[in-house]
């Protein structure tokens, strides 16, 4: 049985109550659910969309399966396949994401994604067709990119989304996932929250999925258990307020801030929301949910605002806390007077020099869902696609044009090669290449049909 820190067990048992806590502890004896989220720009839950000439492919085990109830494009998988060996993952057809985190989809679809609604422009609100919808959104702590790619999928196409990650190597992973997801109007930045505050750029929607003590991931990642301590909780809630303070200064009047953690304690959750209300003048907004989802509300005595907590054993997913707050009209002065970000000032001169202002990522061409195979893309067999993802050279069909060509799998773009006739040199980014050489059994059927 999983051994949890005594201080955590004592506090959390009291917080959740005996019945909830026992259900939570029982979840450690169960398999953690595996889930993915389809890319609506590329994918379809219709199995015939995927199979083509193949009997099966890595993602076909999910289509037609059980949907994540709070996410339009989310699906639970019956088991965890070897995602690394599925070319469709690398093509951005789906994203492997924990189910509770997909609650962001329900949050966004429950809110009017029109800045004029948030700003109280009654005249514009009454003219829905003429309502302004070219908004600006920011994911302040975005790596590795799960919530950012979900945001980009749900936001109106003409919105611009900035996805930010302060840590350089994590920002590179974020950029890879954003690039593969393949949407326009999506910008990746490698900045600290205080840099956004200094820039004076303003946004209509900001997501703060803040660094936390990770209690909600104990079942999924044992390393989080070893790293947890009461001191870590204290450090986290202070840092979270610093990040929110900087984000609040970047939020337009009437704008929305989505606050989330993957932890259970009230210091990092309800108490931070209460702080936003008292110090920043935030208004907490309700999100439409269903009773059968078994989402837990506030666990802080005397605090009854609409907040949403996912507890393993009660909801089907890992731990999550999320809420939405709105910035009142004429509230900029309160936001600009927030806590200074001291935690980010200890940065080496080399890191400061390497930091990039913005790095634009552009949408990739995807298959027409009616034909699957665009003429511009040289379609590879499964074995060729894996070789390409490893960085190997290939021999393409004789009628392939010389020069730079796009290659893909089942019609979905993977990247580029330079065809010189006798072979095609691999241009897939080195840092994206897969290292494994073993092809799992579940993909052998694909080899028999390609």
């Amino acid at each position: 049985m999983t051994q949890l820190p005594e201080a955590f067990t004592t506090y959390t048992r009291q917080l959740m109550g005996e019945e909830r806590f026992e259900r939570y502890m029982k979840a450690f004896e169960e398999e953690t659910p595996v889930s993915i989220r389809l890319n609506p720009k590329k994918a379809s839950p219709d199995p015939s969309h995927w199979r083509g000439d193949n009997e099966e492919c890595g993602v076909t085990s999910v289509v037609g399966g059980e949907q994540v109830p709070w996410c339009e494009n989310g699906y639970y998988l019956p088991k965890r396949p070897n995602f690394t060996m599925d070319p469709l993952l690398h093509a951005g057809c789906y994203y492997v994401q924990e189910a509770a985190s997909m609650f962001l989809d329900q949050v966004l679809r429950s809110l009017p994604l029109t800045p004029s609604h948030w700003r109280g422009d009654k005249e514009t609100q009454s003219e829905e067709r003429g309502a302004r919808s070219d908004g600006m959104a920011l994911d302040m702590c975005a790596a590795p990119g799960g919530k950012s790619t979900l945001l980009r999928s749900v936001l109106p196409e003409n919105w611009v989304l900035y996805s930010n990650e302060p840590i350089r190597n994590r920002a590179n992973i974020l950029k890879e996932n954003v690039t593969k997801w393949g949407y326009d109007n999506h910008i990746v930045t490698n900045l600290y929250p205080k840099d956004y505050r200094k820039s004076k750029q303003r946004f209509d929607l900001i997501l703060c999925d803040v660094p936390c003590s990770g209690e909600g991931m104990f079942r999924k990642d044992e390393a989080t258990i070893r790293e947890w301590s009461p001191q870590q909780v204290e450090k986290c809630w202070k840092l979270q307020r610093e990040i929110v303070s900087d984000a609040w200064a970047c939020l337009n009047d009437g704008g929305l801030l989505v606050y989330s953690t993957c932890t259970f304690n009230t210091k990092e959750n309800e108490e931070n929301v209460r702080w936003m209300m008292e110090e920043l003048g935030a208004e907490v907004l309700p999100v439409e949910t269903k009773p059968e989802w078994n989402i837990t509300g506030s666990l802080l005595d005397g605090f009854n605002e609409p907040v949403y907590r996912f507890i393993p054993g009660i909801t089907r997913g890992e731990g999550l806390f999320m809420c939405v707050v709105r910035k009142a009209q004429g509230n900029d002065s309160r936001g600009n007077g927030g806590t200074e970000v001291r935690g980010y000032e200890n940065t080496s001169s080399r890191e400061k020099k390497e930091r990039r202002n913005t790095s634009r990522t552009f949408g990739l061409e995807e298959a027409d869902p009616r034909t699957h195979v665009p003429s511009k893309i040289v379609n590879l067999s499964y074995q060729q696609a894996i070789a390409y993802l490893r960085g190997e050279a290939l021999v393409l069909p004789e009628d392939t044009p010389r020069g730079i060509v796009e290659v893909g799998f089942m019609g979905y773009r993977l990247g580029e090669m330079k065809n010189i006739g006798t072979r095609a040199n691999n241009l897939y980014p080195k840092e994206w290449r897969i290292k494994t050489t073993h092809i799992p059994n579940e993909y052998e059927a694909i080899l028999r049909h390609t």
Side-chain angles (χ1 to χ4, degrees):
M1 186 174 179
T2 304
Q3 288 294 113
L4 302 178
E6 184 178 351
F8 168 80
T9 300
T10 302
Y11 171 83
T12 308
R13 185 188 296 273
Q14 182 180 8
L15 176 68
M16 293 184 180
E18 194 65 31
E19 182 183 354
R20 280 199 192 103
F21 185 75
E22 289 303 318
R23 292 177 67 180
Y24 165 65
M25 291 302 298
K26 189 176 180 180
F28 283 90
E29 303 171 11
E30 305 167 354
E31 287 190 19
T32 58
V34 180
S35 52
I36 69 169
R37 180 171 42 80
L38 299 180
N39 185 340
K41 188 176 181 181
K42 300 181 179 182
S44 167
D46 178 4
S48 64
H49 176 88
W50 296 95
R51 291 192 178 118
D53 295 330
N54 299 316
E55 289 296 320
E56 60 178 297
C57 193
V59 76
T60 57
S61 61
V62 67
V63 292
E66 186 177 356
Q67 186 174 9
V68 175
W70 45 82
C71 181
E72 188 173 284
N73 296 297
Y75 290 86
Y76 291 106
L77 277 65
K79 62 179 182 178
R80 187 178 188 88
N82 188 327
F83 289 114
T84 301
M85 300 302 287
D86 190 351
L88 295 178
L89 171 68
H90 301 276
C93 292
Y94 66 95
Y95 192 98
V96 183
Q97 187 173 25
E98 193 279 310
S101 294
M102 299 184 198
F103 183 62
L104 179 62
D105 184 273
Q106 177 66 19
V107 168
L108 295 172
R109 296 182 192 278
S110 297
L111 300 171
L113 293 179
T114 307
S116 58
H117 278 75
W118 304 340
R119 294 170 187 160
D121 186 344
K122 295 181 179 180
E123 182 178 347
T124 310
Q125 287 179 26
S126 64
E127 301 175 3
E128 292 185 4
R129 291 188 178 181
R132 178 175 172 265
S133 60
D134 52 335
M136 297 277 289
L138 168 65
D139 186 351
M140 186 67 89
C141 312
K147 292 184 178 68
S148 263
T149 53
L150 192 158
L151 268 171
R152 184 59 277 175
S153 298
V154 178
L155 290 172
E157 289 185 9
N158 55 349
W159 275 52
V160 175
L161 171 62
Y162 285 76
S163 293
N164 179 66
E165 172 54 46
I167 309 302
R168 184 63 182 277
N169 62 338
R170 287 171 55 83
N172 289 333
I173 296 171
L174 171 64
K175 183 177 179 181
E176 175 185 350
N177 288 325
V178 165
T179 302
K180 290 177 176 179
W181 203 243
Y183 282 65
D184 292 322
N185 296 328
H186 199 167
I187 299 167
V188 173
T189 60
N190 175 213
L191 299 168
Y192 291 112
K194 68 176 183 180
D195 296 323
Y196 266 99
R197 183 173 188 158
K198 291 176 180 177
S199 75
K200 300 188 183 301
Q201 189 158 0
R202 296 293 181 263
F203 297 88
D204 302 295
L205 172 69
I206 298 179
L207 169 63
C208 284
D209 183 34
V210 291
C212 68
S213 59
E215 298 165 353
M217 303 303 290
F218 281 0
R219 185 172 66 146
K220 186 178 179 181
D221 184 1
E222 290 188 1
T224 58
I225 300 176
R226 296 190 297 270
E227 294 167 359
W228 186 91
S229 68
Q231 294 76 21
Q232 182 69 8
V233 172
E234 290 295 312
K235 179 181 177 181
C236 285
W237 73 257
K238 294 175 182 178
L239 175 61
Q240 289 155 1
R241 293 188 185 186
E242 293 173 355
I243 294 172
V244 169
S245 179
D246 285 324
W248 199 255
C250 299
L251 195 62
N252 277 322
D253 282 4
L256 303 181
L257 185 144
V258 180
Y259 177 82
S260 69
T261 73
C262 58
T263 203
F264 298 128
N265 68 78
T266 62
K267 286 189 175 182
E268 298 177 68
N269 294 324
E270 286 92 340
E271 293 178 50
N272 272 348
V273 177
R274 185 173 61 187
W275 169 82
M276 293 180 217
M277 297 173 65
E278 295 174 350
E279 298 298 322
L280 304 178
E283 174 192 2
V284 184
L285 301 182
V287 175
E288 183 180 349
T289 62
K290 295 183 179 181
E292 58 266 31
W293 296 352
N294 296 319
I295 299 174
T296 303
S298 174
L299 294 180
L300 179 64
D301 289 342
F303 186 84
N304 300 312
E305 298 296 331
V307 297
Y308 307 90
R309 181 185 269 97
F310 288 66
I311 302 175
I314 298 175
T315 46
R316 194 176 175 188
E318 302 308 314
L320 175 83
F321 176 92
M322 188 171 285
C323 76
V324 185
V325 298
R326 175 165 53 197
K327 186 175 184 177
Q329 297 288 331
N331 207 11
D332 278 336
S333 60
R334 298 183 74 174
N336 288 334
T339 308
E340 290 183 6
V341 184
R342 298 185 180 90
Y344 290 126
E345 292 179 354
N346 296 326
T347 308
S348 69
S349 58
R350 180 179 179 182
E351 286 175 325
K352 290 178 180 178
K353 185 177 181 180
E354 288 181 347
R355 198 183 307 162
R356 296 292 183 267
N357 184 23
T358 59
S359 178
R360 185 66 182 266
T361 58
F362 298 92
L364 305 178
E365 285 191 55
E366 75 288 347
D368 184 330
R370 296 166 298 182
T371 61
H372 301 293
V373 185
S375 58
K376 292 183 179 179
I377 292 179
V378 178
N379 215 35
L380 304 177
S381 68
Y382 175 80
Q383 198 163 25
Q384 287 177 317
I386 293 299
Y388 173 75
L389 293 169
R390 289 185 185 133
E392 299 175 14
L394 298 175
V395 177
L396 300 178
E398 291 183 3
D399 59 350
T400 303
R402 301 290 180 92
I404 305 299
V405 296
E406 293 184 326
V407 296
F409 178 68
M410 293 181 69
Y412 295 94
R413 184 188 189 277
L414 292 173
E416 296 179 339
M417 301 194 81
K418 184 175 183 180
N419 185 31
I420 60 175
T422 55
R423 71 175 189 277
N425 294 328
N426 200 309
L427 300 180
Y428 196 62
K430 291 182 179 179
E431 61 273 18
W432 296 4
R433 294 174 184 178
I434 62 177
K435 306 297 190 297
T436 182
T437 58
H438 171 66
I439 297 177
N441 292 336
E442 62 259 35
Y443 295 98
E444 288 182 355
I446 301 174
L447 289 176
R448 291 197 297 268
H449 292 85
T450 55

